[in-house]
Amino acid sequence: MISTKLPKMFYGGDYNPEQWDQATHQEDLRMFKLAGIDIATINVFSWAKNQPDEITYNFGWLDELIDSLYESGVYVCLATSTGAHPAWMATKYPDVLRVDKDGRKRKFGGRHNSCPNSPTYRLYSERIADKLAERYKDHPAVLVWHVSNEYGGDCYCDNCERAFRVWLKEKYQTLDQLNRAWNTAFWGHTFYDWDEIVLPSNLSEEWGDRYTNFQGISLDYSRFNSDSMLNCYKLEYNAIKKHVPESVVTTNLMGFFKQLDYFKWAKYMDIISWDSYPSLTTPPSETAMANDLMRGLKDGMPFMLMEQTPSQQNWQPYNSLKRPGVMRLQSYQTVAHGADTVMFFQLRRSIGACEKYHGAVIEHVGHENTRVFREVAQLGEELQRIGDRLLDSRADAKAAIVFDWDNWWAIEKSSGPTIALNYVQQIHKYYAAFYNRNVQVDMVSVDTDLSAYDLVVAPVLYMVKPGFAEKLEAFVENGGTFLTTFFSGIVNENDLVTVGGYPGELRKMLGIWVEEIDALFPDQKNKVVLKDKFGKLQGSYECGMLCDLLHTEGAEVIAEYGEDFYKGMPAVTRHTFGKGEAYYVATDPEQCFLDELIEKITTDKGIQPNLSAPSGVEVSRRVKDGISYLFVLNHNTEIVSYDLGQLEAEDLISGHQLSGTVSIEGRDVQILEV
Ligand code: GLA
Ligand code: GLA
């Protein structure tokens, strides 16, 4: 439980009363009560208000705000305000300003804009976190500490360049080792002095921006940049912990956010929190997958939904309204995947600057007679009724999908074999195959203990980090089923090819050898042809993008290519290894192929769907004290029905007892306690 002071799903969100007068604030408090709102995230962008100059700190307004929220029953998620530096700081200490990838020094403006290696930023961000923690350490309103806001971006300034060299020295010790790791003998890029190393930007190795000339330096820069920002976060984290060791400290993440290695960040976060902004056209499976990734960051620990919009965004090209019921449906979807809070950006809609057209609980009209407010209040009432019943419940998946940030960076900075390869899309295709059948799946890292799983899928495991191949082998030898795909096992953690035949370290376990990789044009297709019926798979299916030309070395051929000069060569294989099996999918087949393949494999392993339900109905499960909670989420606009079979259940939301054939309205939700 995040806090015993508020033993229910926290309900609230970002609140910026510094943009308003007192009367409005009083009116807000009245409406928060009507909506069942019990937490406000405050002080996110108030650094300039808190610190008007180098030596003055004004927290009086914050004292009053926290007190007045608390007195009216609203707890606080207290941000440290370092997501945007004050203008005076930029003028006086230009080192806080970033330099972009084209080498342009920025001026004051925007947010999330501080150089992570700026001595000034580090000094003052740590200091304000320290002052806030000292001041509010005993305030009963504060339940969660929110460091900065949505860390991201990059910087190519001289401070970053110097810090990069220090980071590299720590990592490689000698230039010899660095030259080897980066394969600098290529194009004569050998370094003889650490100071010869410059950041890989559009002025240097990433000239042209589509790919990098040197994967090694570019990969290390991505790692370094993620670490640099993590170090800023850690400074503030430690400053808070110094005063409040028992505090719950987080920063709001962004799902599949490429720049930061969230698995690494998660180690320094007491709880994961994230901001979820699906658009009208985002498939529910993508939102589900992002939530599962956030749950996976801390091995299944419940996380916070820190932000979602009650109605619309402002920053998408076309900012559709969330249709009636969709906000509630998406909120419960997030809870279904592991959230223990439901929070919004924002509680009141601002009148100026770029977020004035961003949805809010309280709209510009200012009163509660709006569709959005009514929907927010209905959900608030439901969450009050549900109370603590779902808190700390866990998903209990038997299948896992491996996700890895270094792999993501390496794949997508690669020159060749195709520009069409998108790592997250590939992950999603396999995720969707589980999701479409309502089979529970965890998103895991290469460091996760795999022993709890029966099936591990690692799409496009291009980079195999030290020890991971052995870990997978042990998993399969002990009876696990493993599946990987084309373009896997190619390089080590430095993006150096493992010679002796692809898929390198995975070759023995997979019982295959890949000789060549064909890249297809977007409208060029091949076929995957089943040798025999395999589950529901039979006949032929379309495939494209990349086709590995492979030979078996003990693996059995399940399907072959149907076209081109490699017609008849294996396209899908299975290898018995120890007590387990390892599958290889050598190309990118159409979704229905993957759906049937995963159905066959999960069925063979005895991994059951949570419930069989009609298309568009998601069923996810959380478990607590031996009780299962099945979240039935109807993403269709129409009423549908499903069969509970032998199950008898109580719907936590309506209180109804359900059995037999159950109907569910379009966009409605049921939480079945079984
Ligand atoms: C040119 C260059 C070679 C090599 C090839 C790759 O011909 O001279 O060094 O880069 O392109 O296609
Ligand atoms: C992010 C930020 C918020 C706000 C919202 C708008 O999540 O953290 O400050 O800008 O986007 O969607």
Side-chain angles (χ1 to χ4, degrees), residues 530 532-538 558 574 583 597 600:
L530 271 299
D532 296 303
K533 197 163 177 290
F534 192 70
K536 289 184 189 153
L537 289 168
Q538 58 180 329
I558 289 168
R574 172 172 63 180
Y583 285 82
L597 180 65
K600 162 79 172 133

Side-chain angles (χ1 to χ4, degrees), residues 45 111 149-150 252 275 277 307 315 345 355 358:
F45 291 107
R111 61 168 179 176
N149 192 70
E150 292 190 336
N252 47 342
D275 304 340
Y277 288 99
E307 296 180 23
W315 46 264
F345 182 90
E355 288 180 343
H358 194 289

Side-chain angles (χ1 to χ4, degrees), residues 104 198 217 223 235 312 406 418 464 545 547 622 644:
R104 296 175 304 184
V198 298
I217 189 171
R223 291 165 175 149
L235 282 176
Q312 67 193 148
D406 293 277
T418 175
V464 178
M545 186 162 59
C547 296
R622 288 179 71 169
L644 268 182

Side-chain angles (χ1 to χ4, degrees), residues 579-595:
K579 289 189 241 152
E581 292 177 330
Y583 285 82
Y584 193 76
V585 181
T587 180
D588 178 33
E590 57 185 307
Q591 185 68 44
C592 64
F593 178 91
L594 297 182
D595 289 351

